[in-house]
């Protein structure tokens, strides 16, 4: 191989690699040209979903572009964005006949909350966006979710599913779904461990909350607490840390 040919091949490879890395960060991808413009973009569905880190959310994220009157706009451009590691399929597109664009979203490999956004451009070139939050579970929280499905959700989740009839309506004292941060965020990790391990009376609460200290290991209970902290809405904030205001 001549030196020149080698350099040429190298340049082509570099160009390919660069287009690949740009695509990953969503900068090189130009949104398709819009035929219409809206003034606002709203979430239609798909926010606040929970999936294992590095996997695709169970439902697509669907956003809608509206005009000043709140009517859906067909043919408007939408661009999705998110932290490194989040993959959108597609990353951008044009709204359909109901003014919507749907994207399948895979979360990054790290557990935690992912803020993603969808943006559209107005006639006077202003970018408007809507933010959504999704939750990625790590190994410990996935274990917690399994234990929740197995032991807790029949009382703590008011909704019945085809596999499980909720016992919620039969309970004289109502437990809280674990997403209810207003209540659960006020309880310390020690409180949670006490009520899960020793039952309601450990915190002067109803004995309808059974003790799990004989059934579950310490690791299991920690996994449940970690799961409860991860899914709470509003988000749980670790005491002693000062958080920036949004
Ligand atoms: C048989 C029904 C039942 C099951 C199963 C159950 N709980 Fe409860 N739980 C309750 C009730 C009822 C309360 C409310 C007690 C009160 O407020 O006096 C409660 C309260 C709690 C609380 C305090 C916050 C709240 O909701 O009021 C936590 C935390 C909790 N349960 C965790 C769990 C975990 C974790 C599991 C599974 C390992 C579980 N529970 C399984 C009935 C249940």
């Amino acid at each position: 191989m001549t030196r020149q040919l080698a350099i040429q091949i190298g340049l082509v490879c570099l160009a390919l690699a660069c287009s690949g890395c740009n695509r990953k960060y969503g900068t090189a991808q130009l949104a398709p040209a819009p035929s219409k413009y809206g003034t606002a973009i709203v979430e239609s569905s798909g926010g606040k979903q929970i999936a294992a880190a590095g996997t695709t959310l169970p439902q697509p994220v669907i956003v809608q572009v509206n005009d000043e009157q709140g009517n859906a706009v067909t043919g408007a451009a939408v661009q999705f964005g998110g932290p490194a590691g989040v993959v959108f399929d597609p990353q951008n597109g044009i709204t359909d006949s109901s003014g919507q664009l749907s994207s399948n979203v895979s979360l990054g490999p790290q557990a935690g909350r992912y803020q993603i956004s969808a943006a559209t451009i107005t006639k006077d070139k202003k970018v408007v966006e809507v933010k959504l939050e999704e939750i990625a579970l790590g190994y410990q929280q996935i274990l917690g979710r399994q234990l929740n499905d197995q032991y807790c959700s029949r009382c703590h989740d008011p909704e019945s599913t085809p596999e499980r009839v909720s016992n919620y309506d039969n309970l004289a004292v109502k437990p809280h779904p674990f997403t209810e941060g207003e209540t659960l965020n006020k309880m310390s990790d020690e409180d949670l461990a006490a009520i899960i391990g020793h039952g309601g009376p450990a915190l002067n609460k109803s004995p309808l909350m059974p003790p799990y200290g004989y059934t579950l290991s310490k690791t299991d209970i920690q996994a449940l607490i970690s799961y409860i902290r991860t899914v709470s809405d509003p988000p749980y904030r670790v005491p002693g840390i000062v958080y920036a205001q949004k």
Side-chain angles (χ1 to χ4, degrees):
M1 198 194 305
T2 66
R3 229 182 103 132
Q4 218 167 3
L5 185 60
I7 289 171
Q8 262 174 8
I9 291 173
L11 278 175
V12 170
C13 289
L14 194 67
L16 285 176
C18 280
S19 70
C21 64
N22 278 340
R23 189 166 309 127
K24 195 162 137 205
Y25 297 108
T27 47
Q29 251 185 338
L30 288 176
S35 59
K36 292 269 166 46
Y37 299 89
T39 54
I41 183 165
V42 294
E43 173 188 345
S44 175
S45 64
K48 291 192 177 160
Q49 294 188 71
I50 301 173
T55 69
T56 306
L57 293 173
Q59 306 292 324
V61 169
I62 305 175
V63 294
Q64 181 171 326
V65 175
N66 291 332
D67 64 13
E68 275 135 338
Q69 286 79 42
N71 298 320
V73 176
T74 302
V78 172
Q79 171 88 31
F80 289 99
V86 178
V87 178
F88 297 90
D89 180 22
Q91 174 127 36
N92 54 43
I94 293 287
T95 54
D96 64 11
S97 57
S98 32
Q100 298 183 336
L101 184 71
S102 170
S103 183
N104 293 307
V105 182
S106 305
L107 299 178
Q110 244 169 339
R113 283 162 199 272
Y114 283 79
Q115 197 179 67
I116 60 173
S117 66
T120 192
I121 187 157
T122 68
K123 217 172 192 154
D124 22 307
K125 304 265 189 293
K126 254 184 34 195
V127 174
V128 288
E129 66 171 6
V130 58
K131 289 198 163 88
L132 285 79
E133 203 172 73
E134 312 292 357
I135 296 174
L137 302 180
Y139 175 78
Q140 192 186 28
Q141 294 117 30
I142 291 171
L143 173 62
R145 179 166 68 171
Q146 279 162 2
L147 294 166
N148 170 51
D149 290 347
Q150 196 176 345
Y151 297 104
C152 324
S153 58
R154 68 191 168 93
C155 289
H156 279 266
D157 186 348
E159 308 285 328
S160 293
T161 65
E163 299 84 41
R164 168 181 57 76
V165 178
S166 177
N167 187 33
Y168 184 88
D169 291 337
N170 301 328
L171 295 168
V173 183
K174 300 298 180 199
H176 296 85
F178 295 142
T179 44
E180 275 189 22
E182 297 290 355
T183 300
L184 285 143
N185 290 350
K186 290 193 190 114
M187 300 179 73
S188 65
D189 285 5
E190 291 73 28
D191 284 349
L192 292 180
I195 194 167
I196 299 169
H198 305 293
L203 295 184
N204 289 322
K205 289 182 181 251
S206 165
L208 289 171
M209 167 62 202
Y212 286 93
Y214 304 104
T215 323
L216 301 177
S217 68
K218 266 206 169 122
T219 313
D220 290 344
I221 293 177
Q222 282 313 314
L224 275 163
I225 294 172
S226 174
Y227 171 74
I228 291 170
R229 294 314 194 194
T230 308
V231 298
S232 72
D233 179 24
Y236 176 67
R237 311 203 133 185
V238 180
I241 294 184
V242 181
Y243 291 89
Q245 295 294 312
K246 263 195 197 158

